[in-house]
Amino acid sequence: AQTVTQSQPEMSVQEAETVTLSCTYDTSESNYYLFWYKQPPSRQMILVIRQEAYKQQNATENRFSVNFQKAAKSFSLKISDSQLGDTAMYFCAFHNNAGNMLTFGGGTRLMVKP
Amino acid sequence: NAGVTQTPKFQVLKTGQSMTLQCAQDMNHEYMSWYRQDPGMGLRLIHYSVGAGITDQGEVPNGYNVSRSTTEDFPLRLLSAAPSQTSVYFCASSLTGGRDGYTFGSGTRLTVV
């Protein structure tokens, strides 16, 4: 079974600065998918970014980028130019190629301060 | 386009009562799932379905039943509510089995007293 670990329960960052959220996972598979989801106070789960394990290039979506280190089983999220609207819980999630479930980490609560 | 619609948004139950959480999607997704979210534990899979008439258990299925009679609907039934089932419940759907990510509903906050 896969496990996903987010070692930072809470983080804070000043508006306009950069912050990196950490995620590590454990799997014996070689092909899989990794995700970061954002959950603002509204409770809605919003897909932020997606990475395919067989692609070496790190995914980027506007101010959000990842640092995917397959050998180290690490998948960190970098948020550049942080905005007040980035305040939320962030969840790292793993999906294997053949399965039908997402395995989530415990989440990191990010506070962006003005 | 409504996406994934969950009802109700909030519910309080007494121990031993039963109820059904409704989930509907209008994106013609074959894959649908139910997750529960507890503090500090992320989301955990309860049950999932890969198409109408096909369901299977996830990580924490005890105390819950599901059925999938249509592509659009995937209700979750609590047979006899217990305080341990106090949680936030999310329904999610996917076109590709999750490889492109899931679309989530807005959640149901359930309290069992």
Side-chain angles (χ1 to χ4, degrees):
Chain A
Q2 292 81 21
T3 59
V4 179
T5 302
Q6 295 179 246
S7 59
Q8 305 151 314
E10 294 186 358
M11 294 190 71
S12 64
V13 63
Q14 292 296 130
E15 194 175 9
E17 293 187 345
T18 295
V19 64
T20 298
L21 309 183
S22 300
C23 173
T24 58
Y25 58 94
D26 186 25
T27 183
S28 58
E29 302 189 17
S30 60
N31 195 21
Y32 46 87
Y33 303 82
L34 295 163
F35 305 88
W36 279 98
Y37 281 87
K38 171 185 178 181
Q39 186 180 42
S42 67
R43 203 169 67 194
Q44 184 72 45
M45 292 289 288
I46 302 166
L47 179 61
V48 174
I49 201 163
R50 168 184 177 270
Q51 176 78 43
E52 299 176 42
Y54 62 86
K55 289 188 176 179
Q56 292 186 338
Q57 185 174 4
N58 289 324
T60 298
E61 289 287 343
N62 299 315
R63 297 183 295 108
F64 299 88
S65 61
V66 299
N67 183 5
F68 173 50
Q69 301 289 329
K70 190 172 184 179
K73 297 180 182 176
S74 171
F75 182 60
S76 60
L77 174 70
K78 186 173 80 171
I79 306 174
S80 304
D81 186 25
S82 297
Q83 300 176 359
L84 296 178
D86 295 333
T87 292
M89 283 288 290
Y90 286 83
F91 292 96
C92 178
F94 174 100
H95 188 284
N96 63 10
N97 193 39
N100 295 295
M101 67 178 284
L102 284 170
T103 301
F104 286 85
T108 296
R109 186 179 301 278
L110 176 67
M111 173 73 72
V112 179
K113 298 180 178 179
Chain B
N1 194 345
V4 179
T5 302
Q6 286 185 240
T7 56
K9 294 191 183 306
F10 301 93
Q11 183 71 47
V12 178
L13 286 180
K14 293 182 179 179
T15 298
Q17 286 184 320
S18 63
M19 78 160 296
T20 299
L21 306 185
Q22 301 292 344
C23 176
Q25 53 90 11
D26 60 359
M27 299 171 285
N28 203 32
H29 286 176
E30 291 293 333
Y31 297 85
M32 296 186 74
S33 305
W34 277 102
Y35 289 84
R36 60 178 287 172
Q37 181 179 18
D38 301 298
M41 300 185 71
L43 281 72
R44 292 180 294 167
L45 182 66
I46 304 171
H47 285 285
Y48 67 94
S49 169
V50 300
I54 306 170
T55 63
D56 206 346
Q57 297 181 352
E59 186 182 359
V60 287
N62 292 340
Y64 308 94
N65 271 359
V66 293
S67 60
R68 185 95 180 272
S69 57
T70 67
T71 299
E72 294 78 20
D73 300 299
F74 190 43
L76 177 72
R77 282 181 285 277
L78 281 71
L79 308 175
S80 177
S84 60
Q85 294 179 303
T86 293
S87 188
V88 179
Y89 292 84
F90 287 94
C91 179
S93 73
S94 170
L95 182 64
T96 59
R99 294 186 295 277
D100 292 324
Y102 277 87
T103 300
F104 284 82
S106 58
T108 296
R109 180 175 293 279
L110 175 68
T111 302
V112 182
V113 298

